[in-house]
PDB file of all heavy atoms in Angstrom:
ATOM      1  N   HIS A  68     -19.699  -9.120  -9.470  1.00 84.00           N
ATOM      2  CA  HIS A  68     -19.830 -10.200 -10.503  1.00 84.00           C
ATOM      3  C   HIS A  68     -18.706 -11.144 -10.466  1.00 84.00           C
ATOM      4  O   HIS A  68     -18.620 -12.297 -11.112  1.00 84.00           O
ATOM      5  CB  HIS A  68     -20.017  -9.614 -11.867  1.00 84.00           C
ATOM      6  CG  HIS A  68     -20.608 -10.555 -12.797  1.00 84.00           C
ATOM      7  ND1 HIS A  68     -19.829 -11.455 -13.584  1.00 84.00           N
ATOM      8  CD2 HIS A  68     -21.950 -10.706 -13.299  1.00 84.00           C
ATOM      9  CE1 HIS A  68     -20.651 -12.168 -14.372  1.00 84.00           C
ATOM     10  NE2 HIS A  68     -21.931 -11.724 -14.154  1.00 84.00           N
ATOM     11  N   PRO A  70     -15.751 -14.000  -9.379  1.00 70.00           N
ATOM     12  CA  PRO A  70     -15.812 -15.140  -8.494  1.00 70.00           C
ATOM     13  C   PRO A  70     -14.933 -14.893  -7.223  1.00 70.00           C
ATOM     14  O   PRO A  70     -13.822 -14.403  -7.350  1.00 70.00           O
ATOM     15  CB  PRO A  70     -15.110 -16.249  -9.436  1.00 70.00           C
ATOM     16  CG  PRO A  70     -14.297 -15.470 -10.319  1.00 70.00           C
ATOM     17  CD  PRO A  70     -14.997 -14.134 -10.585  1.00 70.00           C
ATOM     18  N   ARG A  99     -28.061  -6.645 -14.591  1.00 87.00           N
ATOM     19  CA  ARG A  99     -28.247  -6.704 -13.109  1.00 87.00           C
ATOM     20  C   ARG A  99     -27.608  -5.456 -12.408  1.00 87.00           C
ATOM     21  O   ARG A  99     -26.478  -5.091 -12.706  1.00 87.00           O
ATOM     22  CB  ARG A  99     -27.600  -8.029 -12.564  1.00 87.00           C
ATOM     23  CG  ARG A  99     -28.382  -9.247 -12.672  1.00 87.00           C
ATOM     24  CD  ARG A  99     -27.675 -10.380 -12.002  1.00 87.00           C
ATOM     25  NE  ARG A  99     -28.615 -11.502 -11.845  1.00 87.00           N
ATOM     26  CZ  ARG A  99     -28.277 -12.634 -11.220  1.00 87.00           C
ATOM     27  NH1 ARG A  99     -27.052 -12.730 -10.608  1.00 87.00           N
ATOM     28  NH2 ARG A  99     -28.988 -13.666 -11.129  1.00 87.00           N
ATOM     29  N   VAL A 107     -26.662 -12.100  -4.459  1.00 86.00           N
ATOM     30  CA  VAL A 107     -25.930 -13.324  -4.766  1.00 86.00           C
ATOM     31  C   VAL A 107     -25.124 -13.710  -3.586  1.00 86.00           C
ATOM     32  O   VAL A 107     -24.204 -12.886  -3.120  1.00 86.00           O
ATOM     33  CB  VAL A 107     -25.135 -13.287  -6.062  1.00 86.00           C
ATOM     34  CG1 VAL A 107     -24.369 -14.553  -6.228  1.00 86.00           C
ATOM     35  CG2 VAL A 107     -26.046 -12.868  -7.114  1.00 86.00           C
ATOM     36  N   ALA A 200     -33.226 -29.152 -18.600  1.00 98.00           N
ATOM     37  CA  ALA A 200     -31.857 -29.448 -19.052  1.00 98.00           C
ATOM     38  C   ALA A 200     -30.903 -29.006 -17.846  1.00 98.00           C
ATOM     39  O   ALA A 200     -31.253 -28.048 -17.124  1.00 98.00           O
ATOM     40  CB  ALA A 200     -31.439 -28.806 -20.420  1.00 98.00           C
ATOM     41  N   LEU A 201     -29.687 -29.505 -17.981  1.00 97.00           N
ATOM     42  CA  LEU A 201     -28.632 -28.968 -17.159  1.00 97.00           C
ATOM     43  C   LEU A 201     -27.948 -27.802 -17.655  1.00 97.00           C
ATOM     44  O   LEU A 201     -27.624 -27.705 -18.887  1.00 97.00           O
ATOM     45  CB  LEU A 201     -27.594 -30.080 -16.795  1.00 97.00           C
ATOM     46  CG  LEU A 201     -28.016 -31.218 -15.919  1.00 97.00           C
ATOM     47  CD1 LEU A 201     -27.030 -32.420 -16.026  1.00 97.00           C
ATOM     48  CD2 LEU A 201     -28.346 -30.865 -14.554  1.00 97.00           C
ATOM     49  N   VAL A 202     -27.525 -26.793 -16.889  1.00 96.00           N
ATOM     50  CA  VAL A 202     -26.725 -25.724 -17.372  1.00 96.00           C
ATOM     51  C   VAL A 202     -25.647 -25.390 -16.328  1.00 96.00           C
ATOM     52  O   VAL A 202     -25.719 -25.884 -15.157  1.00 96.00           O
ATOM     53  CB  VAL A 202     -27.615 -24.420 -17.514  1.00 96.00           C
ATOM     54  CG1 VAL A 202     -28.586 -24.604 -18.637  1.00 96.00           C
ATOM     55  CG2 VAL A 202     -28.266 -23.990 -16.252  1.00 96.00           C
ATOM     56  N   TRP A 203     -24.659 -24.671 -16.694  1.00 94.00           N
ATOM     57  CA  TRP A 203     -23.475 -24.361 -15.815  1.00 94.00           C
ATOM     58  C   TRP A 203     -23.471 -22.748 -15.804  1.00 94.00           C
ATOM     59  O   TRP A 203     -22.806 -22.179 -16.693  1.00 94.00           O
ATOM     60  CB  TRP A 203     -22.257 -24.996 -16.352  1.00 94.00           C
ATOM     61  CG  TRP A 203     -21.095 -25.018 -15.402  1.00 94.00           C
ATOM     62  CD1 TRP A 203     -21.145 -24.865 -14.036  1.00 94.00           C
ATOM     63  CD2 TRP A 203     -19.789 -25.334 -15.668  1.00 94.00           C
ATOM     64  NE1 TRP A 203     -19.971 -25.033 -13.457  1.00 94.00           N
ATOM     65  CE2 TRP A 203     -19.075 -25.351 -14.421  1.00 94.00           C
ATOM     66  CE3 TRP A 203     -19.042 -25.632 -16.855  1.00 94.00           C
ATOM     67  CZ2 TRP A 203     -17.753 -25.695 -14.358  1.00 94.00           C
ATOM     68  CZ3 TRP A 203     -17.794 -25.927 -16.781  1.00 94.00           C
ATOM     69  CH2 TRP A 203     -17.121 -25.974 -15.528  1.00 94.00           C
ATOM     70  N   PRO A 204     -23.940 -22.146 -14.837  1.00 91.00           N
ATOM     71  CA  PRO A 204     -24.052 -20.636 -14.758  1.00 91.00           C
ATOM     72  C   PRO A 204     -22.536 -20.141 -14.802  1.00 91.00           C
ATOM     73  O   PRO A 204     -21.755 -20.701 -14.138  1.00 91.00           O
ATOM     74  CB  PRO A 204     -24.751 -20.395 -13.437  1.00 91.00           C
ATOM     75  CG  PRO A 204     -25.544 -21.581 -13.149  1.00 91.00           C
ATOM     76  CD  PRO A 204     -24.871 -22.768 -13.671  1.00 91.00           C
ATOM     77  N   SER A 205     -22.426 -19.021 -15.497  1.00 85.00           N
ATOM     78  CA  SER A 205     -20.982 -18.509 -15.694  1.00 85.00           C
ATOM     79  C   SER A 205     -20.326 -18.139 -14.422  1.00 85.00           C
ATOM     80  O   SER A 205     -19.079 -18.327 -14.198  1.00 85.00           O
ATOM     81  CB  SER A 205     -21.015 -17.328 -16.644  1.00 85.00           C
ATOM     82  OG  SER A 205     -21.866 -16.257 -16.088  1.00 85.00           O
ATOM     83  N   MET A 206     -21.143 -17.666 -13.381  1.00 85.00           N
ATOM     84  CA  MET A 206     -20.554 -17.247 -12.094  1.00 85.00           C
ATOM     85  C   MET A 206     -20.086 -18.578 -11.267  1.00 85.00           C
ATOM     86  O   MET A 206     -19.351 -18.377 -10.279  1.00 85.00           O
ATOM     87  CB  MET A 206     -21.515 -16.513 -11.244  1.00 85.00           C
ATOM     88  CG  MET A 206     -21.820 -15.163 -11.836  1.00 85.00           C
ATOM     89  SD  MET A 206     -22.868 -14.173 -10.799  1.00 85.00           S
ATOM     90  CE  MET A 206     -21.855 -13.729  -9.466  1.00 85.00           C
ATOM     91  N   TRP A 207     -20.505 -19.694 -11.680  1.00 87.00           N
ATOM     92  CA  TRP A 207     -20.080 -20.927 -11.087  1.00 87.00           C
ATOM     93  C   TRP A 207     -18.891 -21.598 -11.610  1.00 87.00           C
ATOM     94  O   TRP A 207     -18.436 -22.632 -11.042  1.00 87.00           O
ATOM     95  CB  TRP A 207     -21.285 -21.821 -10.930  1.00 87.00           C
ATOM     96  CG  TRP A 207     -22.509 -21.533 -10.299  1.00 87.00           C
ATOM     97  CD1 TRP A 207     -22.855 -20.226  -9.850  1.00 87.00           C
ATOM     98  CD2 TRP A 207     -23.707 -22.298  -9.996  1.00 87.00           C
ATOM     99  NE1 TRP A 207     -24.068 -20.240  -9.325  1.00 87.00           N
ATOM    100  CE2 TRP A 207     -24.638 -21.451  -9.456  1.00 87.00           C
ATOM    101  CE3 TRP A 207     -23.944 -23.597 -10.295  1.00 87.00           C
ATOM    102  CZ2 TRP A 207     -25.835 -22.042  -8.960  1.00 87.00           C
ATOM    103  CZ3 TRP A 207     -25.165 -24.171  -9.835  1.00 87.00           C
ATOM    104  CH2 TRP A 207     -26.080 -23.298  -9.235  1.00 87.00           C
ATOM    105  N   GLN A 208     -18.342 -21.084 -12.668  1.00 85.00           N
ATOM    106  CA  GLN A 208     -17.412 -21.822 -13.422  1.00 85.00           C
ATOM    107  C   GLN A 208     -15.898 -21.565 -12.969  1.00 85.00           C
ATOM    108  O   GLN A 208     -15.458 -20.403 -13.144  1.00 85.00           O
ATOM    109  CB  GLN A 208     -17.499 -21.579 -14.861  1.00 85.00           C
ATOM    110  CG  GLN A 208     -18.787 -22.039 -15.480  1.00 85.00           C
ATOM    111  CD  GLN A 208     -18.981 -21.728 -16.985  1.00 85.00           C
ATOM    112  OE1 GLN A 208     -17.984 -21.628 -17.679  1.00 85.00           O
ATOM    113  NE2 GLN A 208     -20.188 -21.828 -17.449  1.00 85.00           N
ATOM    114  N   PRO A 209     -15.124 -22.489 -12.436  1.00 76.00           N
ATOM    115  CA  PRO A 209     -13.818 -22.282 -12.150  1.00 76.00           C
ATOM    116  C   PRO A 209     -13.008 -22.240 -13.486  1.00 76.00           C
ATOM    117  O   PRO A 209     -13.467 -22.778 -14.391  1.00 76.00           O
ATOM    118  CB  PRO A 209     -13.399 -23.458 -11.218  1.00 76.00           C
ATOM    119  CG  PRO A 209     -14.698 -24.203 -10.854  1.00 76.00           C
ATOM    120  CD  PRO A 209     -15.723 -23.794 -11.940  1.00 76.00           C
ATOM    121  N   ALA A 210     -11.833 -21.715 -13.419  1.00 69.00           N
ATOM    122  CA  ALA A 210     -11.060 -21.581 -14.671  1.00 69.00           C
ATOM    123  C   ALA A 210     -10.674 -22.951 -15.291  1.00 69.00           C
ATOM    124  O   ALA A 210     -10.577 -23.056 -16.466  1.00 69.00           O
ATOM    125  CB  ALA A 210      -9.760 -20.737 -14.343  1.00 69.00           C
ATOM    126  N   ALA A 212     -11.854 -26.174 -14.742  1.00 70.00           N
ATOM    127  CA  ALA A 212     -12.805 -27.273 -14.573  1.00 70.00           C
ATOM    128  C   ALA A 212     -12.978 -28.021 -15.951  1.00 70.00           C
ATOM    129  O   ALA A 212     -12.883 -27.497 -17.028  1.00 70.00           O
ATOM    130  CB  ALA A 212     -14.195 -26.703 -14.157  1.00 70.00           C
ATOM    131  N   ILE A 214     -15.634 -30.620 -17.838  1.00 85.00           N
ATOM    132  CA  ILE A 214     -16.903 -31.083 -17.863  1.00 85.00           C
ATOM    133  C   ILE A 214     -17.475 -31.018 -19.322  1.00 85.00           C
ATOM    134  O   ILE A 214     -17.122 -30.133 -20.074  1.00 85.00           O
ATOM    135  CB  ILE A 214     -17.803 -30.357 -16.916  1.00 85.00           C
ATOM    136  CG1 ILE A 214     -19.165 -30.968 -16.776  1.00 85.00           C
ATOM    137  CG2 ILE A 214     -17.952 -28.957 -17.258  1.00 85.00           C
ATOM    138  CD1 ILE A 214     -20.100 -30.402 -15.745  1.00 85.00           C
ATOM    139  N   ILE A 216     -21.339 -31.367 -21.098  1.00 95.00           N
ATOM    140  CA  ILE A 216     -22.781 -31.546 -21.022  1.00 95.00           C
ATOM    141  C   ILE A 216     -23.248 -31.985 -22.402  1.00 95.00           C
ATOM    142  O   ILE A 216     -22.928 -31.331 -23.404  1.00 95.00           O
ATOM    143  CB  ILE A 216     -23.402 -30.288 -20.576  1.00 95.00           C
ATOM    144  CG1 ILE A 216     -22.862 -29.893 -19.082  1.00 95.00           C
ATOM    145  CG2 ILE A 216     -24.950 -30.439 -20.449  1.00 95.00           C
ATOM    146  CD1 ILE A 216     -23.423 -28.575 -18.684  1.00 95.00           C
ATOM    147  N   LYS A 243     -14.465 -28.826  -6.959  1.00 89.00           N
ATOM    148  CA  LYS A 243     -15.916 -28.931  -6.777  1.00 89.00           C
ATOM    149  C   LYS A 243     -16.647 -28.237  -7.812  1.00 89.00           C
ATOM    150  O   LYS A 243     -16.405 -27.002  -8.121  1.00 89.00           O
ATOM    151  CB  LYS A 243     -16.317 -28.297  -5.407  1.00 89.00           C
ATOM    152  CG  LYS A 243     -16.145 -29.279  -4.183  1.00 89.00           C
ATOM    153  CD  LYS A 243     -14.664 -29.551  -3.901  1.00 89.00           C
ATOM    154  CE  LYS A 243     -14.475 -30.349  -2.717  1.00 89.00           C
ATOM    155  NZ  LYS A 243     -13.081 -30.701  -2.421  1.00 89.00           N
ATOM    156  N   ILE A 244     -17.469 -29.042  -8.581  1.00 91.00           N
ATOM    157  CA  ILE A 244     -18.276 -28.452  -9.639  1.00 91.00           C
ATOM    158  C   ILE A 244     -19.764 -28.730  -9.387  1.00 91.00           C
ATOM    159  O   ILE A 244     -20.144 -29.678  -8.908  1.00 91.00           O
ATOM    160  CB  ILE A 244     -17.944 -29.116 -10.984  1.00 91.00           C
ATOM    161  CG1 ILE A 244     -16.476 -28.821 -11.332  1.00 91.00           C
ATOM    162  CG2 ILE A 244     -18.849 -28.754 -12.065  1.00 91.00           C
ATOM    163  CD1 ILE A 244     -15.919 -29.632 -12.547  1.00 91.00           C
ATOM    164  N   CYS A 245     -20.589 -27.617  -9.624  1.00 94.00           N
ATOM    165  CA  CYS A 245     -22.015 -27.790  -9.443  1.00 94.00           C
ATOM    166  C   CYS A 245     -22.727 -27.270 -10.655  1.00 94.00           C
ATOM    167  O   CYS A 245     -22.376 -26.259 -11.291  1.00 94.00           O
ATOM    168  CB  CYS A 245     -22.500 -26.819  -8.286  1.00 94.00           C
ATOM    169  SG  CYS A 245     -24.024 -27.176  -7.644  1.00 94.00           S
ATOM    170  N   LEU A 246     -23.694 -28.019 -11.070  1.00 97.00           N
ATOM    171  CA  LEU A 246     -24.600 -27.635 -12.192  1.00 97.00           C
ATOM    172  C   LEU A 246     -26.014 -27.545 -11.768  1.00 97.00           C
ATOM    173  O   LEU A 246     -26.402 -28.101 -10.680  1.00 97.00           O
ATOM    174  CB  LEU A 246     -24.586 -28.776 -13.299  1.00 97.00           C
ATOM    175  CG  LEU A 246     -23.275 -29.256 -13.821  1.00 97.00           C
ATOM    176  CD1 LEU A 246     -23.426 -30.461 -14.896  1.00 97.00           C
ATOM    177  CD2 LEU A 246     -22.507 -28.089 -14.470  1.00 97.00           C
ATOM    178  N   ARG A 247     -26.793 -26.787 -12.392  1.00 97.00           N
ATOM    179  CA  ARG A 247     -28.193 -26.686 -12.020  1.00 97.00           C
ATOM    180  C   ARG A 247     -29.153 -26.703 -13.201  1.00 97.00           C
ATOM    181  O   ARG A 247     -28.648 -26.875 -14.346  1.00 97.00           O
ATOM    182  CB  ARG A 247     -28.470 -25.376 -11.312  1.00 97.00           C
ATOM    183  CG  ARG A 247     -28.602 -24.164 -12.179  1.00 97.00           C
ATOM    184  CD  ARG A 247     -29.053 -22.949 -11.409  1.00 97.00           C
ATOM    185  NE  ARG A 247     -29.602 -21.930 -12.329  1.00 97.00           N
ATOM    186  CZ  ARG A 247     -29.903 -20.705 -12.062  1.00 97.00           C
ATOM    187  NH1 ARG A 247     -29.760 -20.192 -10.851  1.00 97.00           N
ATOM    188  NH2 ARG A 247     -30.434 -19.870 -12.952  1.00 97.00           N
ATOM    189  N   SER A 248     -30.362 -26.818 -13.035  1.00 98.00           N
ATOM    190  CA  SER A 248     -31.357 -26.931 -14.089  1.00 98.00           C
ATOM    191  C   SER A 248     -31.466 -25.579 -14.799  1.00 98.00           C
ATOM    192  O   SER A 248     -31.150 -24.572 -14.213  1.00 98.00           O
ATOM    193  CB  SER A 248     -32.766 -27.436 -13.598  1.00 98.00           C
ATOM    194  OG  SER A 248     -33.212 -26.542 -12.630  1.00 98.00           O
ATOM    195  N   ASP A 249     -31.960 -25.555 -16.021  1.00 97.00           N
ATOM    196  CA  ASP A 249     -32.147 -24.373 -16.715  1.00 97.00           C
ATOM    197  C   ASP A 249     -33.209 -23.514 -16.166  1.00 97.00           C
ATOM    198  O   ASP A 249     -33.256 -22.257 -16.136  1.00 97.00           O
ATOM    199  CB  ASP A 249     -32.352 -24.630 -18.289  1.00 97.00           C
ATOM    200  CG  ASP A 249     -33.508 -25.625 -18.514  1.00 97.00           C
ATOM    201  OD1 ASP A 249     -34.039 -26.237 -17.569  1.00 97.00           O
ATOM    202  OD2 ASP A 249     -33.825 -25.929 -19.690  1.00 97.00           O
ATOM    203  N   TYR A 250     -34.327 -24.138 -15.723  1.00 98.00           N
ATOM    204  CA  TYR A 250     -35.503 -23.497 -15.136  1.00 98.00           C
ATOM    205  C   TYR A 250     -35.813 -24.026 -13.678  1.00 98.00           C
ATOM    206  O   TYR A 250     -35.405 -25.191 -13.438  1.00 98.00           O
ATOM    207  CB  TYR A 250     -36.706 -23.655 -15.888  1.00 98.00           C
ATOM    208  CG  TYR A 250     -36.474 -23.062 -17.338  1.00 98.00           C
ATOM    209  CD1 TYR A 250     -36.485 -23.784 -18.478  1.00 98.00           C
ATOM    210  CD2 TYR A 250     -36.502 -21.611 -17.533  1.00 98.00           C
ATOM    211  CE1 TYR A 250     -36.280 -23.223 -19.730  1.00 98.00           C
ATOM    212  CE2 TYR A 250     -36.273 -21.087 -18.805  1.00 98.00           C
ATOM    213  CZ  TYR A 250     -36.236 -21.770 -19.876  1.00 98.00           C
ATOM    214  OH  TYR A 250     -36.012 -21.297 -21.143  1.00 98.00           O
ATOM    215  N   CYS A 286     -31.091 -25.535  -4.912  1.00 97.00           N
ATOM    216  CA  CYS A 286     -30.478 -24.315  -4.567  1.00 97.00           C
ATOM    217  C   CYS A 286     -31.371 -23.169  -4.993  1.00 97.00           C
ATOM    218  O   CYS A 286     -32.205 -23.278  -5.864  1.00 97.00           O
ATOM    219  CB  CYS A 286     -29.096 -24.110  -5.089  1.00 97.00           C
ATOM    220  SG  CYS A 286     -29.136 -23.876  -6.935  1.00 97.00           S
ATOM    221  N   GLY A 287     -31.424 -22.041  -4.196  1.00 95.00           N
ATOM    222  CA  GLY A 287     -32.185 -20.865  -4.510  1.00 95.00           C
ATOM    223  C   GLY A 287     -31.542 -20.085  -5.707  1.00 95.00           C
ATOM    224  O   GLY A 287     -30.429 -20.339  -6.145  1.00 95.00           O
ATOM    225  N   GLU A 288     -32.361 -19.244  -6.186  1.00 94.00           N
ATOM    226  CA  GLU A 288     -31.985 -18.410  -7.400  1.00 94.00           C
ATOM    227  C   GLU A 288     -30.715 -17.588  -7.232  1.00 94.00           C
ATOM    228  O   GLU A 288     -29.898 -17.380  -8.066  1.00 94.00           O
ATOM    229  CB  GLU A 288     -33.048 -17.498  -7.833  1.00 94.00           C
ATOM    230  CG  GLU A 288     -32.778 -16.681  -9.069  1.00 94.00           C
ATOM    231  CD  GLU A 288     -33.991 -15.911  -9.593  1.00 94.00           C
ATOM    232  OE1 GLU A 288     -34.970 -15.767  -8.899  1.00 94.00           O
ATOM    233  OE2 GLU A 288     -33.805 -15.358 -10.735  1.00 94.00           O
ATOM    234  N   PHE A 289     -30.398 -17.147  -5.931  1.00 92.00           N
ATOM    235  CA  PHE A 289     -29.364 -16.277  -5.600  1.00 92.00           C
ATOM    236  C   PHE A 289     -28.246 -16.924  -4.859  1.00 92.00           C
ATOM    237  O   PHE A 289     -27.427 -16.330  -4.245  1.00 92.00           O
ATOM    238  CB  PHE A 289     -29.823 -14.977  -4.873  1.00 92.00           C
ATOM    239  CG  PHE A 289     -30.714 -14.166  -5.797  1.00 92.00           C
ATOM    240  CD1 PHE A 289     -32.123 -14.309  -5.677  1.00 92.00           C
ATOM    241  CD2 PHE A 289     -30.192 -13.233  -6.626  1.00 92.00           C
ATOM    242  CE1 PHE A 289     -33.014 -13.583  -6.435  1.00 92.00           C
ATOM    243  CE2 PHE A 289     -31.091 -12.594  -7.521  1.00 92.00           C
ATOM    244  CZ  PHE A 289     -32.471 -12.646  -7.353  1.00 92.00           C
ATOM    245  N   CYS A 290     -28.170 -18.324  -4.844  1.00 92.00           N
ATOM    246  CA  CYS A 290     -27.166 -19.074  -4.273  1.00 92.00           C
ATOM    247  C   CYS A 290     -26.018 -19.295  -5.323  1.00 92.00           C
ATOM    248  O   CYS A 290     -26.311 -19.861  -6.377  1.00 92.00           O
ATOM    249  CB  CYS A 290     -27.753 -20.413  -3.763  1.00 92.00           C
ATOM    250  SG  CYS A 290     -26.516 -21.511  -3.120  1.00 92.00           S
ATOM    251  N   ASN A 291     -24.860 -18.830  -4.975  1.00 90.00           N
ATOM    252  CA  ASN A 291     -23.757 -19.050  -5.904  1.00 90.00           C
ATOM    253  C   ASN A 291     -22.911 -20.182  -5.526  1.00 90.00           C
ATOM    254  O   ASN A 291     -22.302 -20.278  -4.463  1.00 90.00           O
ATOM    255  CB  ASN A 291     -22.811 -17.761  -5.884  1.00 90.00           C
ATOM    256  CG  ASN A 291     -21.730 -17.917  -6.964  1.00 90.00           C
ATOM    257  OD1 ASN A 291     -21.588 -18.844  -7.635  1.00 90.00           O
ATOM    258  ND2 ASN A 291     -21.063 -16.699  -7.179  1.00 90.00           N
ATOM    259  N   GLN A 292     -22.993 -21.322  -6.420  1.00 91.00           N
ATOM    260  CA  GLN A 292     -22.340 -22.451  -6.079  1.00 91.00           C
ATOM    261  C   GLN A 292     -20.920 -22.640  -6.774  1.00 91.00           C
ATOM    262  O   GLN A 292     -20.477 -23.754  -7.108  1.00 91.00           O
ATOM    263  CB  GLN A 292     -23.217 -23.653  -6.586  1.00 91.00           C
ATOM    264  CG  GLN A 292     -24.426 -23.884  -5.854  1.00 91.00           C
ATOM    265  CD  GLN A 292     -24.148 -24.443  -4.428  1.00 91.00           C
ATOM    266  OE1 GLN A 292     -24.166 -23.660  -3.425  1.00 91.00           O
ATOM    267  NE2 GLN A 292     -23.891 -25.700  -4.351  1.00 91.00           N
ATOM    268  N   PHE A 293     -20.188 -21.538  -6.851  1.00 88.00           N
ATOM    269  CA  PHE A 293     -18.832 -21.464  -7.284  1.00 88.00           C
ATOM    270  C   PHE A 293     -17.941 -22.274  -6.192  1.00 88.00           C
ATOM    271  O   PHE A 293     -18.083 -21.989  -4.967  1.00 88.00           O
ATOM    272  CB  PHE A 293     -18.392 -20.120  -7.395  1.00 88.00           C
ATOM    273  CG  PHE A 293     -16.976 -19.937  -7.699  1.00 88.00           C
ATOM    274  CD1 PHE A 293     -16.417 -20.210  -8.919  1.00 88.00           C
ATOM    275  CD2 PHE A 293     -16.027 -19.285  -6.850  1.00 88.00           C
ATOM    276  CE1 PHE A 293     -15.185 -20.084  -9.364  1.00 88.00           C
ATOM    277  CE2 PHE A 293     -14.737 -19.143  -7.180  1.00 88.00           C
ATOM    278  CZ  PHE A 293     -14.267 -19.520  -8.414  1.00 88.00           C
ATOM    279  N   HIS A 294     -17.261 -23.292  -6.650  1.00 88.00           N
ATOM    280  CA  HIS A 294     -16.418 -24.032  -5.718  1.00 88.00           C
ATOM    281  C   HIS A 294     -17.184 -24.689  -4.604  1.00 88.00           C
ATOM    282  O   HIS A 294     -16.698 -24.797  -3.428  1.00 88.00           O
ATOM    283  CB  HIS A 294     -15.359 -23.283  -5.153  1.00 88.00           C
ATOM    284  CG  HIS A 294     -14.279 -22.804  -6.117  1.00 88.00           C
ATOM    285  ND1 HIS A 294     -13.189 -21.994  -5.823  1.00 88.00           N
ATOM    286  CD2 HIS A 294     -14.022 -23.155  -7.436  1.00 88.00           C
ATOM    287  CE1 HIS A 294     -12.443 -21.783  -6.866  1.00 88.00           C
ATOM    288  NE2 HIS A 294     -12.951 -22.527  -7.845  1.00 88.00           N
ATOM    289  N   TYR A 367     -33.973 -24.485  -7.648  1.00 98.00           N
ATOM    290  CA  TYR A 367     -33.524 -25.152  -8.823  1.00 98.00           C
ATOM    291  C   TYR A 367     -32.951 -26.463  -8.480  1.00 98.00           C
ATOM    292  O   TYR A 367     -32.101 -26.566  -7.434  1.00 98.00           O
ATOM    293  CB  TYR A 367     -32.380 -24.254  -9.564  1.00 98.00           C
ATOM    294  CG  TYR A 367     -32.821 -23.043 -10.189  1.00 98.00           C
ATOM    295  CD1 TYR A 367     -33.094 -21.947  -9.340  1.00 98.00           C
ATOM    296  CD2 TYR A 367     -33.017 -22.970 -11.548  1.00 98.00           C
ATOM    297  CE1 TYR A 367     -33.506 -20.752 -10.048  1.00 98.00           C
ATOM    298  CE2 TYR A 367     -33.404 -21.790 -12.254  1.00 98.00           C
ATOM    299  CZ  TYR A 367     -33.627 -20.707 -11.387  1.00 98.00           C
ATOM    300  OH  TYR A 367     -34.101 -19.512 -12.030  1.00 98.00           O
ATOM    301  N   PRO A 368     -33.253 -27.531  -9.195  1.00 98.00           N
ATOM    302  CA  PRO A 368     -32.503 -28.826  -9.043  1.00 98.00           C
ATOM    303  C   PRO A 368     -31.024 -28.579  -9.265  1.00 98.00           C
ATOM    304  O   PRO A 368     -30.730 -27.815 -10.152  1.00 98.00           O
ATOM    305  CB  PRO A 368     -33.172 -29.777 -10.037  1.00 98.00           C
ATOM    306  CG  PRO A 368     -34.466 -29.122 -10.305  1.00 98.00           C
ATOM    307  CD  PRO A 368     -34.219 -27.624 -10.154  1.00 98.00           C
ATOM    308  N   CYS A 369     -30.104 -29.267  -8.535  1.00 98.00           N
ATOM    309  CA  CYS A 369     -28.748 -29.096  -8.854  1.00 98.00           C
ATOM    310  C   CYS A 369     -27.966 -30.401  -8.463  1.00 98.00           C
ATOM    311  O   CYS A 369     -28.455 -31.172  -7.709  1.00 98.00           O
ATOM    312  CB  CYS A 369     -28.059 -27.856  -8.094  1.00 98.00           C
ATOM    313  SG  CYS A 369     -28.234 -27.856  -6.281  1.00 98.00           S
ATOM    314  N   ILE A 370     -26.810 -30.537  -9.221  1.00 98.00           N
ATOM    315  CA  ILE A 370     -26.015 -31.694  -8.892  1.00 98.00           C
ATOM    316  C   ILE A 370     -24.572 -31.226  -8.726  1.00 98.00           C
ATOM    317  O   ILE A 370     -24.123 -30.199  -9.259  1.00 98.00           O
ATOM    318  CB  ILE A 370     -26.138 -32.794  -9.915  1.00 98.00           C
ATOM    319  CG1 ILE A 370     -25.544 -32.201 -11.271  1.00 98.00           C
ATOM    320  CG2 ILE A 370     -27.499 -33.254 -10.103  1.00 98.00           C
ATOM    321  CD1 ILE A 370     -25.544 -33.222 -12.463  1.00 98.00           C
TER     322      ILE A 370
END
Side-chain angles (χ1 to χ4, degrees):
H68 200 275
R99 279 185 168 185
V107 177
L201 292 171
V202 297
W203 199 10
S205 60
M206 290 183 74
W207 296 11
Q208 297 181 20
I214 184 174
I216 300 176
K243 281 66 179 173
I244 295 173
C245 192
L246 308 178
R247 79 173 197 188
S248 60
D249 50 357
Y250 298 111
C286 69
E288 183 174 10
F289 297 95
C290 174
N291 188 348
Q292 288 294 101
F293 176 69
H294 288 176
Y367 292 79
C369 58
I370 63 173

